[in-house]
Amino acid sequence: MTPPAAGGVADLVRLRAHHPEAVAEAAGARRRRPLLGPTGRLMIIAADHPARGALAVGDDRLAMADRFDLLERLCLALARPGVDGVLAGADVLEDLLLLGALEDRIVIGSMNRGGLAGASFELDDRFTGHRPVDLSQQGFDAGKLLLRIDHDDPGSLDTLHTAARTVNAMAAHRLPVFVEPFLCRRTPAGIRTDLGAAAVTTSIAIASGLGGTSAYTWLKVPVTEDPEDMERVMRTSTLPAVLLGGDLAEDPDTAYERWRGALRLPTVQGLVVGRSLLYPADGDVAGAVDTAVGLL
């Protein structure tokens, strides 16, 4: 990997310490583009995991904890042809702004990061990240919220209620919001998501009905356990959708084929993939990103 061109990540500390106003200045000067480009497809790199304390990649529990390394990987990924933008928390996005890596890129702010990984309150997923007003003031392009629903956990109701209010607020600012819904359950090993066809169908139906309008709502959905179910599952809503990448611990070629099939469906507009592309098993970030772009 090559280091970022805009002075290197080591300069970020100096800028943050001596010129905190540089963040707002960079946001105001950033060149923007439409959400959907000429191809009508989206390829977004996700890096919002650290803000929820989710730092693991495979067997390395702290893989994403090295911010300088993460930023180098992100800058490399964002520079690849066909990559449209990035999804991250405020601190990561501001680092990328200061590095000049977000010009002509879609910037999606991650909104609810309070459901810390492994916490007893994980499903009471408070909105501790970007607010709609923050995204609007900084000239960012969209927001994303995670909606995990466990019928046995009262925290899910608080998350559901706040998610609906956030959908309304984003629509008031005319900003797209990507809703990532799951049905899940708590197990001794932690929160487990249900990727069966019935569960994914139900989660899509719930997410599509949030708020007083769905005009600015997008869905961020997984590929079902059986990829053959995706055509039926995605008929649950007319909202535009992107596929989330998930973990490529399995054979990467098999995962790519699962994405390829789902990308042919009429409501599926693209991919949002993070750790699988930023930390590929062979270390080739550019190669992993290019492969994913090729699926579109």
Side-chain angles (χ1 to χ4, degrees):
M1 289 178 292
T2 57
V9 293
D11 290 340
L12 290 175
V13 177
R14 178 185 56 80
L15 271 174
R16 285 184 171 281
H18 296 282
H19 301 286
E21 70 281 359
V23 170
E25 292 169 358
R30 182 177 70 90
R31 292 192 307 273
R32 299 183 63 180
R33 48 152 279 185
L35 181 68
L36 293 176
T39 67
R41 309 287 266 175
L42 276 177
M43 178 69 227
I44 302 294
I45 306 297
D48 58 340
H49 314 79
R52 201 171 62 84
L55 302 171
V57 178
D59 294 330
D60 187 346
R61 295 177 57 195
L62 297 177
M64 298 188 78
D66 185 334
R67 179 56 54 85
F68 283 18
D69 177 64
L70 173 60
L71 290 172
E72 289 186 6
R73 292 170 184 269
L74 280 168
C75 288
L76 177 57
L78 284 166
R80 301 305 299 170
V83 172
D84 293 289
V86 62
L87 159 66
D91 59 330
V92 174
L93 291 182
E94 289 168 358
D95 283 342
L96 292 170
L97 272 174
L98 294 173
L99 290 168
L102 299 183
E103 300 300 305
D104 299 310
R105 293 292 182 267
I106 297 302
V107 181
I108 304 175
S110 192
M111 307 178 81
N112 58 326
R113 299 282 84 192
L116 302 183
S120 62
F121 50 84
E122 186 170 351
L123 292 176
D124 184 355
D125 202 346
R126 304 292 176 95
F127 281 65
T128 57
H130 287 102
R131 302 167 300 172
V133 66
D134 299 323
L135 298 172
S136 178
Q137 288 177 349
Q138 291 183 291
F140 291 165
D141 304 292
K144 172 257 181 179
L145 65 88
L146 177 62
L147 180 63
R148 291 178 295 179
I149 301 169
D150 181 347
H151 289 92
D152 295 321
D153 192 319
S156 291
L157 178 58
D158 290 332
T159 303
L160 188 65
H161 180 263
T162 309
R165 304 288 77 77
T166 301
V167 167
N168 289 340
M170 290 292 283
H173 285 282
R174 297 188 177 183
L175 285 172
V177 58
F178 290 76
V179 180
E180 181 179 348
F182 293 103
L183 293 192
C184 60
R185 66 187 185 281
R186 193 179 295 277
T187 73
I191 305 298
R192 291 292 178 264
T193 57
D194 187 344
L195 298 183
V200 177
T201 295
T202 302
S203 71
I204 288 174
I206 293 169
S208 299
L210 287 175
T213 177
S214 62
Y216 291 87
T217 302
W218 285 59
L219 300 172
K220 182 171 179 274
V221 299
V223 177
T224 48
E225 286 176 343
D226 183 348
E228 296 297 321
D229 291 329
M230 280 298 286
E231 182 173 7
R232 176 166 53 90
V233 166
M234 294 309 295
R235 293 176 67 87
T236 307
S237 176
T238 59
L239 298 183
V242 291
L243 302 177
L244 62 92
D247 192 351
L248 293 191
E250 59 179 302
D251 175 17
D253 291 336
T254 299
Y256 290 140
E257 283 306 308
R258 289 163 60 90
W259 296 347
R260 191 192 308 275
L263 283 165
R264 298 190 183 104
L265 301 175
T267 59
V268 178
Q269 308 296 302
L271 282 168
V272 178
V273 189
R275 289 172 290 191
S276 301
L277 302 185
L278 293 172
Y279 300 88
D282 63 2
D284 185 2
V285 175
V289 172
D290 291 349
T291 299
V293 169
L295 300 177
L296 301 175

